[in-house]
Short mmCIF file of all heavy atoms in Angstrom, two decimals:
data_model
loop_
_atom_site.label_atom_id
_atom_site.label_comp_id
_atom_site.label_asym_id
_atom_site.label_seq_id
_atom_site.Cartn_x
_atom_site.Cartn_y
_atom_site.Cartn_z
N PHE A 909 104.19 16.12 -25.21
CA PHE A 909 104.37 16.08 -26.66
C PHE A 909 103.33 16.89 -27.33
O PHE A 909 103.55 17.69 -28.30
CB PHE A 909 104.43 14.67 -27.14
CG PHE A 909 105.44 13.91 -26.46
CD1 PHE A 909 105.21 13.06 -25.33
CD2 PHE A 909 106.78 13.93 -26.90
CE1 PHE A 909 106.17 12.25 -24.77
CE2 PHE A 909 107.81 13.25 -26.27
CZ PHE A 909 107.48 12.40 -25.22
N ALA A 910 102.02 16.70 -26.90
CA ALA A 910 100.88 17.37 -27.52
C ALA A 910 100.97 18.90 -27.44
O ALA A 910 100.57 19.58 -28.26
CB ALA A 910 99.58 16.87 -26.91
N VAL A 911 101.52 19.39 -26.28
CA VAL A 911 101.66 20.81 -26.15
C VAL A 911 102.98 21.45 -26.56
O VAL A 911 103.16 22.63 -26.47
CB VAL A 911 101.36 21.32 -24.74
CG1 VAL A 911 99.91 20.85 -24.34
CG2 VAL A 911 102.37 20.84 -23.64
N SER A 912 103.86 20.65 -27.09
CA SER A 912 105.15 21.07 -27.65
C SER A 912 104.94 21.96 -28.82
O SER A 912 103.85 21.92 -29.50
CB SER A 912 106.00 19.96 -27.93
OG SER A 912 105.59 19.24 -29.07
N ASP A 913 105.96 22.75 -29.15
CA ASP A 913 105.86 23.60 -30.33
C ASP A 913 105.45 22.86 -31.63
O ASP A 913 104.71 23.32 -32.41
CB ASP A 913 107.19 24.39 -30.54
CG ASP A 913 107.44 25.34 -29.51
OD1 ASP A 913 106.58 25.77 -28.82
OD2 ASP A 913 108.66 25.73 -29.35
N LYS A 914 105.94 21.63 -31.74
CA LYS A 914 105.69 20.83 -32.93
C LYS A 914 104.23 20.45 -33.11
O LYS A 914 103.72 20.41 -34.14
CB LYS A 914 106.59 19.59 -32.92
CG LYS A 914 106.41 18.62 -34.06
CD LYS A 914 107.28 17.50 -33.98
CE LYS A 914 107.23 16.60 -35.28
NZ LYS A 914 108.17 15.51 -35.21
N TYR A 915 103.52 20.17 -31.98
CA TYR A 915 102.12 19.65 -32.10
C TYR A 915 101.05 20.54 -31.57
O TYR A 915 99.95 20.29 -31.75
CB TYR A 915 102.06 18.28 -31.41
CG TYR A 915 102.99 17.17 -32.03
CD1 TYR A 915 104.11 16.79 -31.33
CD2 TYR A 915 102.66 16.73 -33.27
CE1 TYR A 915 104.88 15.81 -31.89
CE2 TYR A 915 103.50 15.69 -33.84
CZ TYR A 915 104.64 15.33 -33.16
OH TYR A 915 105.45 14.35 -33.69
N ARG A 916 101.48 21.67 -30.84
CA ARG A 916 100.47 22.43 -30.10
C ARG A 916 99.41 22.93 -31.06
O ARG A 916 98.19 22.94 -30.55
CB ARG A 916 101.30 23.55 -29.33
CG ARG A 916 100.30 24.30 -28.46
CD ARG A 916 100.96 25.31 -27.48
NE ARG A 916 101.91 26.13 -28.20
CZ ARG A 916 103.30 26.01 -28.03
NH1 ARG A 916 103.77 25.10 -27.25
NH2 ARG A 916 104.12 26.95 -28.79
N THR A 917 99.61 23.52 -32.10
CA THR A 917 98.58 24.12 -32.93
C THR A 917 97.63 23.07 -33.37
O THR A 917 96.37 23.33 -33.31
CB THR A 917 99.25 24.72 -34.28
OG1 THR A 917 100.08 25.78 -33.84
CG2 THR A 917 98.16 25.29 -35.17
N ASN A 918 98.08 21.82 -33.78
CA ASN A 918 97.05 20.83 -34.11
C ASN A 918 96.20 20.36 -32.93
O ASN A 918 95.06 20.10 -33.02
CB ASN A 918 97.79 19.59 -34.61
CG ASN A 918 98.32 19.81 -36.09
OD1 ASN A 918 97.88 20.71 -36.75
ND2 ASN A 918 99.31 19.11 -36.52
N PHE A 919 96.92 20.33 -31.73
CA PHE A 919 96.20 19.93 -30.55
C PHE A 919 95.07 21.03 -30.13
O PHE A 919 93.96 20.63 -29.87
CB PHE A 919 97.08 19.65 -29.32
CG PHE A 919 96.51 19.07 -28.13
CD1 PHE A 919 95.42 18.16 -28.15
CD2 PHE A 919 97.09 19.24 -26.88
CE1 PHE A 919 94.88 17.62 -27.01
CE2 PHE A 919 96.52 18.72 -25.74
CZ PHE A 919 95.49 17.87 -25.76
N VAL A 920 95.51 22.27 -30.22
CA VAL A 920 94.50 23.30 -29.91
C VAL A 920 93.27 23.29 -30.90
O VAL A 920 92.08 23.24 -30.40
CB VAL A 920 95.16 24.72 -30.13
CG1 VAL A 920 94.08 25.77 -30.10
CG2 VAL A 920 96.22 25.00 -28.98
N GLN A 921 93.49 23.08 -32.14
CA GLN A 921 92.53 22.92 -33.18
C GLN A 921 91.60 21.78 -32.91
O GLN A 921 90.34 21.73 -33.01
CB GLN A 921 93.08 22.96 -34.63
CG GLN A 921 93.72 24.12 -34.98
CD GLN A 921 94.47 24.17 -36.26
OE1 GLN A 921 94.62 23.00 -36.86
NE2 GLN A 921 94.97 25.18 -36.83
N SER A 922 92.26 20.57 -32.51
CA SER A 922 91.45 19.39 -32.28
C SER A 922 90.56 19.58 -31.11
O SER A 922 89.37 19.08 -31.09
CB SER A 922 92.38 18.16 -31.99
OG SER A 922 93.09 17.82 -33.18
N VAL A 923 91.03 20.20 -30.11
CA VAL A 923 90.29 20.34 -28.74
C VAL A 923 88.97 21.16 -29.20
O VAL A 923 87.92 20.88 -28.84
CB VAL A 923 91.03 21.00 -27.70
CG1 VAL A 923 90.10 21.47 -26.65
CG2 VAL A 923 92.15 20.03 -27.13
N VAL A 924 89.15 22.28 -29.85
CA VAL A 924 88.10 23.21 -30.17
C VAL A 924 87.14 22.60 -31.02
O VAL A 924 85.88 22.68 -30.85
CB VAL A 924 88.65 24.58 -30.68
CG1 VAL A 924 87.48 25.49 -31.11
CG2 VAL A 924 89.49 25.25 -29.68
N LYS A 925 87.61 21.83 -32.05
CA LYS A 925 86.69 21.19 -33.01
C LYS A 925 85.89 20.15 -32.34
O LYS A 925 84.67 20.04 -32.52
CB LYS A 925 87.51 20.56 -34.14
CG LYS A 925 87.96 21.54 -35.20
CD LYS A 925 88.73 20.83 -36.31
CE LYS A 925 89.30 21.75 -37.29
NZ LYS A 925 90.14 21.14 -38.30
N TYR A 926 86.49 19.44 -31.35
CA TYR A 926 85.81 18.40 -30.76
C TYR A 926 84.72 18.89 -29.81
O TYR A 926 83.57 18.48 -29.75
CB TYR A 926 86.72 17.53 -29.76
CG TYR A 926 86.13 16.25 -29.27
CD1 TYR A 926 86.20 15.05 -29.94
CD2 TYR A 926 85.51 16.27 -28.04
CE1 TYR A 926 85.69 13.97 -29.51
CE2 TYR A 926 84.96 15.08 -27.51
CZ TYR A 926 84.96 13.89 -28.19
OH TYR A 926 84.50 12.79 -27.80
N VAL A 927 85.00 20.01 -29.00
CA VAL A 927 84.13 20.57 -28.12
C VAL A 927 82.92 21.11 -28.87
O VAL A 927 81.76 20.94 -28.53
CB VAL A 927 84.74 21.74 -27.31
CG1 VAL A 927 83.78 22.60 -26.56
CG2 VAL A 927 85.74 21.04 -26.28
N VAL A 928 83.16 21.86 -30.01
CA VAL A 928 82.04 22.36 -30.78
C VAL A 928 81.23 21.34 -31.46
O VAL A 928 80.03 21.43 -31.41
CB VAL A 928 82.73 23.36 -31.88
CG1 VAL A 928 81.68 23.82 -32.84
CG2 VAL A 928 83.33 24.56 -31.14
N ALA A 929 81.89 20.30 -32.18
CA ALA A 929 81.21 19.30 -32.79
C ALA A 929 80.24 18.55 -31.92
O ALA A 929 79.13 18.18 -32.41
CB ALA A 929 82.19 18.32 -33.51
N PHE A 930 80.59 18.30 -30.68
CA PHE A 930 79.79 17.45 -29.86
C PHE A 930 78.91 18.30 -28.84
O PHE A 930 78.25 17.75 -28.07
CB PHE A 930 80.57 16.44 -29.05
CG PHE A 930 81.10 15.32 -29.98
CD1 PHE A 930 82.32 15.42 -30.54
CD2 PHE A 930 80.31 14.30 -30.31
CE1 PHE A 930 82.78 14.41 -31.37
CE2 PHE A 930 80.62 13.20 -31.18
CZ PHE A 930 81.97 13.35 -31.74
N GLY A 931 78.96 19.56 -28.98
CA GLY A 931 78.00 20.43 -28.23
C GLY A 931 78.41 20.65 -26.76
O GLY A 931 77.53 21.02 -26.06
N PHE A 932 79.70 20.42 -26.48
CA PHE A 932 80.13 20.72 -25.09
C PHE A 932 80.17 22.17 -24.80
O PHE A 932 80.27 22.98 -25.63
CB PHE A 932 81.39 19.96 -24.81
CG PHE A 932 81.33 18.45 -24.63
CD1 PHE A 932 81.82 17.67 -25.80
CD2 PHE A 932 80.84 17.78 -23.59
CE1 PHE A 932 81.77 16.27 -25.70
CE2 PHE A 932 80.76 16.56 -23.45
CZ PHE A 932 81.18 15.73 -24.54
N ASP A 933 80.07 22.54 -23.41
CA ASP A 933 80.26 23.85 -23.11
C ASP A 933 81.65 24.30 -22.74
O ASP A 933 81.95 25.44 -22.43
CB ASP A 933 79.33 24.13 -21.76
CG ASP A 933 77.87 23.91 -22.19
OD1 ASP A 933 77.35 24.72 -23.04
OD2 ASP A 933 77.25 22.98 -21.56
#
């Protein structure tokens, strides 16, 4: 569901924001 056309853009943005916000590599 998360990678479906309906939700993919939001999931991509969430992943990147989380990685950046918490300082992951």
